[in-house]
Amino acid sequence: PMEAEAERCLLLQEARESIEAARSYRRELQQRLRGLQQARKQIRESATLTRDVLEQHFNDLKGTLKKLLDDRLVSLLQEVDTIEQESIKPLDECQKLIEHGVSTADDLLREGESAVHGDVGQENEKLCSFTKKALHIQLDSLPEVPSLVDVPCLSAQLDDCLLAILKNQIFRHGTVASRPPVQLEEFVEKPGGILVRWCKVDDDFVPQDYRLQYRKSTASHFEDVYVGSETEFIVLHIDPNVDYQFRVCARGDGRQEWSPWSVPQIGHTTLVPHEWTTGLEGYSLSSRRNIALRNDSQSCGVLYSKAPTYFCGQTLTIETVGQPDRRDSLGVCVEQQNGYDSLQRDKAVCISTNGAVFVNGKEMTNQLPAVTSGSTVTFDMEAVQLGPSSTEGGNFKLRVTISSNNREVVFDWVLDQCCGSLYFGCSFSYPGWKVLVF
């Protein structure tokens, strides 16, 4: 009985495992089925959209072409009217002159016949008057009438090669692509932003520029956020935990038109944006509180971030402008500590604007170039050793990389407690410093 019970338990276990495997298999098949349905939907929707675009484009072309042909016809007809009117006008004037001469000749004939057949008493006087009148009219002067070869003979010259040219151009106009030449590749969460990367998927396509657009999933229109030659871009001012749609296209080398858009993809960030703490005298903040300006106030102190928004694995970038001083500091710390004029203290790492690097208040041997106008200082950190919990006296080690002006220093920062997130801060002795964090 015990062997039978054991065998039954074994069979039950195998049956349960088979059932779970079947469930997992069914879930996987259902997921693939949904993927196939989405692929079919994408093909059909993109085909419908492409048909609409083609029909609209060629209808617009036909309308534009008809208008151009109509305008050209009107222009040519006006040219015919002008030539006709300008050519007929001198002929009309000549006709009036000839008709006037015929009328004058008729009157002169009647007068001459009357003078010849008149009374004898008045014959000499009439004949004399008629002869003088005939001499005055100059009967030997005739108006010049142009020959047919000297007057315009209108015709239309229509080159049939236009149809051949149009036919050749129309047959080559437009293409249908089964896949866009570029596609979105990766989304990396950033504080208040998303790093978007894309790549070229058509080996024959030579890109000159890329164009990235985005929109909130609730919005109806995309908007440009980047145009350039890079294949990645950090989109800032992104609301945390909100879905955004992204798409990218490219412009081929030497071409003006943009390629088809990539397949839109959803990106989001769960990280709140970096912000400075408000209310500290000596610093003025931008509306988004990501830019701090050291003002003319004599008050000094450390300006901290609003929250510990820096996480290991992220890159904290700080752009600065101003006059350097050895007492200045830019860096990160475990906690806010009021009463200090600088981050050159315990539980903090920082760089002075003259390039000195401080770890827990101690200056390192290695130095970086001085932070000058337009410099960018970046902090990269990763956990390299996690000991027992801090309550048991363990250590937490961070490998820190500080970069400035194409130089960097790397060191291990040992702390007595586990820090999943850190504050960032700054302090400046002179006014004019402007610090942007992202």
Side-chain angles (χ1 to χ4, degrees):
M2 292 181 62
E3 291 179 358
E5 184 66 23
E7 183 178 359
R8 184 175 179 277
C9 290
L10 181 61
L11 291 174
L12 284 174
Q13 180 65 26
E14 291 177 351
R16 291 190 183 97
E17 291 176 356
S18 298
I19 290 172
E20 185 60 33
R23 285 175 179 166
S24 177
Y25 180 66
R26 183 180 61 181
R27 285 195 299 269
E28 192 66 29
L29 287 177
Q30 289 173 340
Q31 185 175 354
R32 280 167 167 71
L33 182 59
R34 286 192 293 270
L36 284 175
Q37 291 170 345
Q38 290 176 349
R40 184 179 287 107
K41 180 181 178 183
Q42 177 175 300
I43 292 172
R44 288 179 174 171
E45 288 182 349
S46 62
T48 299
L49 178 61
T50 302
R51 290 189 193 96
D52 293 341
V53 169
L54 287 172
E55 290 175 357
Q56 182 64 46
H57 177 74
F58 277 87
N59 284 335
D60 292 343
L61 277 181
K62 285 190 287 186
T64 303
L65 190 59
K66 183 179 182 304
K67 185 178 184 305
L68 291 174
L69 290 173
D70 290 343
D71 291 345
R72 182 56 179 164
L73 176 60
V74 169
S75 175
L76 291 173
L77 291 176
Q78 289 176 346
E79 191 173 343
V80 171
D81 293 340
T82 300
I83 296 175
E84 181 185 23
Q85 292 171 5
E86 291 178 351
S87 301
I88 289 293
K89 184 177 179 181
L91 298 183
D92 290 341
E93 293 174 353
C94 185
Q95 180 176 341
K96 290 179 182 180
L97 183 61
I98 291 175
E99 289 175 350
H100 178 71
V102 170
S103 176
T104 301
D106 288 342
D107 293 341
L108 190 61
L109 282 172
R110 284 193 296 270
E111 185 176 345
E113 290 174 353
S114 174
V116 171
H117 299 93
D119 297 337
V120 177
Q122 298 177 345
E123 182 177 351
N124 291 338
E125 183 179 350
K126 286 184 177 181
L127 288 173
C128 183
S129 175
F130 169 73
T131 302
K132 289 181 178 180
K133 192 173 185 179
L135 291 173
H136 179 70
I137 292 176
Q138 296 179 348
L139 296 177
D140 60 344
S141 176
L142 295 174
E144 185 72 26
V145 176
S147 63
L148 292 180
V149 297
D150 294 330
V151 296
C153 180
L154 278 71
S155 63
Q157 287 79 46
L158 300 173
D159 192 349
D160 291 338
C161 72
L162 176 63
L163 291 177
I165 295 173
L166 287 176
K167 183 178 179 180
N168 185 41
Q169 292 294 326
I170 289 173
F171 282 172
R172 293 191 304 167
H173 181 67
T175 57
V176 176
S178 61
R179 291 178 178 84
V182 291
Q183 291 284 11
L184 294 168
E185 183 179 30
E186 184 182 15
F187 297 101
V188 180
E189 294 186 34
K190 295 290 183 179
I194 301 174
L195 172 62
V196 184
R197 292 192 176 103
W198 54 90
C199 61
K200 183 171 71 77
V201 295
D202 184 351
D203 294 335
D204 297 329
F205 184 79
V206 181
Q208 174 181 314
D209 292 307
Y210 297 99
R211 181 182 180 189
L212 178 67
Q213 289 189 336
Y214 84 126
R215 69 177 179 185
K216 277 188 178 181
S217 294
T218 55
S220 57
H221 298 290
F222 283 91
E223 60 180 271
D224 287 341
V225 69
Y226 173 77
V227 175
S229 59
E230 300 296 329
T231 56
E232 65 178 38
F233 182 75
I234 297 180
V235 183
L236 298 176
H237 312 319
I238 294 293
D239 296 331
N241 302 308
V242 174
D243 285 342
Y244 287 81
Q245 271 194 329
F246 294 85
R247 65 182 186 182
V248 67
C249 66
R251 181 162 49 198
D253 189 22
R255 303 184 69 89
Q256 295 297 321
E257 71 278 4
W258 292 100
S259 73
W261 290 105
S262 66
V263 177
Q265 294 191 36
I266 299 294
H268 72 279
T269 182
T270 58
L271 306 177
V272 298
H274 290 317
E275 293 183 9
W276 296 104
T277 300
T278 59
L280 181 64
E281 186 179 356
Y283 293 90
S284 304
L285 305 183
S286 64
S287 59
R288 291 186 175 270
R289 296 182 293 279
N290 62 331
I291 300 176
L293 175 65
R294 178 69 166 94
N295 55 37
D296 295 334
S297 173
Q298 297 300 318
S299 175
C300 60
V302 178
L303 176 65
Y304 292 101
S305 58
K306 180 180 178 181
T309 53
Y310 176 77
F311 297 87
C312 293
Q314 294 181 7
T315 299
L316 175 66
T317 302
I318 303 177
E319 294 185 351
T320 60
V321 176
Q323 179 182 349
D325 187 271
R326 182 176 180 81
R327 296 167 295 174
D328 297 339
S329 62
L330 283 166
V332 295
C333 57
V334 175
E335 58 191 7
Q336 295 181 352
Q337 292 185 8
N338 297 324
Y340 287 90
D341 292 338
S342 174
L343 285 175
Q344 299 173 16
R345 60 169 175 79
D346 189 33
K347 296 184 179 180
V349 295
C350 67
I351 175 177
S352 174
T353 52
N354 69 349
V357 178
F358 292 85
V359 181
N360 291 332
K362 296 180 180 179
E363 184 175 353
M364 292 184 61
T365 304
N366 295 335
Q367 272 200 320
L368 289 170
V371 178
T372 56
S373 177
S375 293
T376 298
V377 180
T378 64
F379 292 82
D380 289 276
M381 297 193 187
E382 61 175 335
V384 294
Q385 176 183 331
L386 183 61
S389 64
S390 59
T391 57
E392 298 178 2
N395 289 330
F396 182 65
K397 184 185 294 185
L398 294 176
R399 181 148 298 158
V400 182
T401 303
I402 305 178
S403 303
S404 177
N405 292 334
N406 298 320
R407 292 269 305 276
E408 66 179 30
V409 294
V410 182
F411 56 90
D412 287 340
W413 181 23
V414 179
L415 299 170
D416 59 2
Q417 61 183 11
C418 176
C419 295
S421 58
L422 299 168
Y423 290 88
F424 56 88
C426 66
S427 64
F428 301 103
S429 301
Y430 294 102
W433 282 96
K434 180 180 179 182
V435 185
L436 165 68
V437 293
F438 61 91

